[in-house]
Amino acid sequence: EKICIAWCHTHNVSNAFMTGLLDIFKSRISRIGSFHCVEGTGLLAKSRNIVVKTFLDQSKCDWLLMLDSDEYIPITAFDKIVQAADSKDRPVISGLYFASLFVGDGIRPAPLIFKNDENKGVIPYDNYPEDSIIQIAAAGTGFLLIHKSVLLKFREVFANENCGPDWVWFQDGPITENRWLSEDLSFFGKLFQLGVPVFAHTGAVAAHHKHIMLDDNHYRQWAAVNEAGTGLEALM
């Protein structure tokens, strides 16, 4: 079965992203059927819908691998997510990558795989089992492998007079309790309605390239658990 690799961009992609993509293409060419990249419109939900429409209408591949262009996908992570996927038992499977949340004076890496909590609703899946295939409630769409049959089902069920067949996968907007529902969580909400199980492989880890503002608070956190004078190899 062939895989279509697709991503959105705004004329810039991470060098690490492209390096990883080239490594995958050279080493796993027998599995790759096509590439699609969509220029960003300023509306991420719209861009992601265009990615899926392009895949369904123009690619003959069985699977769509959706990536974000600020990630590094090692070949080992690609292999694990592909080997774990199954068109019937695991038709939607996510790799593992992290968001950077600024909490107080520090950075809180948040796994972009989610589980249901009775009190808080959908929350990041902390303390996940390492290098395991686990069932989840939702994930980010930056490292997500989906079988074509699932995406076609969206068109059958959700297309109507208010939402045409090209826009059924991703929407974002306000919901109850004055909250905002992101385009990726709305996608997984629809998967739940369809009864499609969702999984993640916590050994398929991608690096997320993010720029941060460093200050002395970050230094003090490092100094509290590290020996002075160490970790300077890159400067020498």
Side-chain angles (χ1 to χ4, degrees), residues 146-163:
I146 316 163
H147 193 263
K148 177 178 283 188
S149 61
V150 173
L151 300 170
L152 289 171
K153 191 69 174 177
F154 272 69
R155 279 181 165 169
E156 292 178 22
V157 174
F158 298 114
N160 54 49
E161 65 275 9
N162 297 316
C163 182

Side-chain angles (χ1 to χ4, degrees), residues 44-45 48 66 68 97 99 112-114 122 137-144 154 169-173 180-192 198:
L44 187 54
R48 293 207 193 283
M66 298 185 69
D68 281 350
Y97 66 110
L112 289 176
I113 55 175
F114 301 90
V122 176
T141 46
F143 188 14
L144 187 67
F154 272 69
W169 303 282
F170 297 96
Q171 290 88 30
D172 62 348
W180 189 271
L181 186 67
S182 65
E183 84 288 341
D184 41 13
L185 291 183
S186 74
F187 175 80
F188 284 94
K190 290 182 176 181
L191 285 175
F192 178 78
V198 179

Side-chain angles (χ1 to χ4, degrees):
E1 293 186 323
K2 297 286 187 177
I3 298 165
C4 168
I5 299 179
W7 65 95
C8 307
H9 69 93
T10 55
H11 301 292
N12 293 296
V13 301
S14 167
N15 179 67
F17 169 77
M18 192 53 62
T19 300
L21 203 60
L22 290 171
D23 287 343
I24 291 169
F25 180 72
K26 289 187 297 182
S27 303
R28 303 293 183 264
I29 190 171
S30 64
R31 299 304 308 270
I32 309 302
S34 61
F35 288 99
H36 295 297
C37 58
V38 172
E39 181 181 348
T41 63
L43 300 170
L44 187 54
K46 183 176 182 180
S47 297
R48 293 207 193 283
N49 279 312
I50 293 172
V51 164
V52 179
K53 169 183 165 53
T54 303
F55 164 67
L56 292 178
D57 295 349
Q58 298 184 24
S59 175
K60 297 181 180 180
C61 293
D62 307 281
W63 294 86
L64 173 64
L65 178 59
M66 298 185 69
L67 302 177
D68 281 350
S69 60
D70 60 352
E71 295 172 340
Y72 170 65
I73 313 294
I75 292 175
T76 52
F78 174 84
D79 287 346
K80 286 186 176 185
I81 196 174
V82 169
Q83 291 164 6
D86 182 272
S87 61
K88 291 184 172 56
D89 295 332
R90 289 190 288 269
V92 180
I93 186 161
S94 174
L96 176 62
Y97 66 110
F98 298 84
S100 55
L101 305 179
F102 290 89
V103 180
D105 294 331
I107 299 173
R108 200 278 205 212
L112 289 176
I113 55 175
F114 301 90
K115 62 182 179 179
N116 286 315
D117 181 89
E118 291 183 4
N119 299 316
K120 298 180 180 179
V122 176
I123 61 171
Y125 201 133
D126 285 323
N127 300 317
Y128 52 82
E130 295 184 8
D131 201 14
S132 303
I133 300 171
I134 59 173
Q135 191 159 2
I136 58 174
T141 46
F143 188 14
L144 187 67
L145 187 60
I146 316 163
H147 193 263
K148 177 178 283 188
S149 61
V150 173
L151 300 170
L152 289 171
K153 191 69 174 177
F154 272 69
R155 279 181 165 169
E156 292 178 22
V157 174
F158 298 114
N160 54 49
E161 65 275 9
N162 297 316
C163 182
D166 295 342
W167 310 107
V168 293
W169 303 282
F170 297 96
Q171 290 88 30
D172 62 348
I175 58 172
T176 57
E177 299 179 1
N178 200 33
R179 294 181 299 161
W180 189 271
L181 186 67
S182 65
E183 84 288 341
D184 41 13
L185 291 183
S186 74
F187 175 80
F188 284 94
K190 290 182 176 181
L191 285 175
F192 178 78
Q193 293 180 53
L194 294 175
V196 176
V198 179
F199 296 86
H201 196 317
T202 61
V205 182
H208 210 178
H209 187 180
K210 294 295 183 183
H211 297 282
I212 62 172
M213 297 287 286
L214 288 173
D215 61 20
D216 60 329
N217 291 314
H218 298 108
Y219 174 74
R220 285 195 295 270
Q221 291 179 55
W222 177 88
V225 294
N226 289 277
E227 182 182 349
T230 61
L232 299 175
E233 293 80 6
L235 296 177
M236 304 302 185

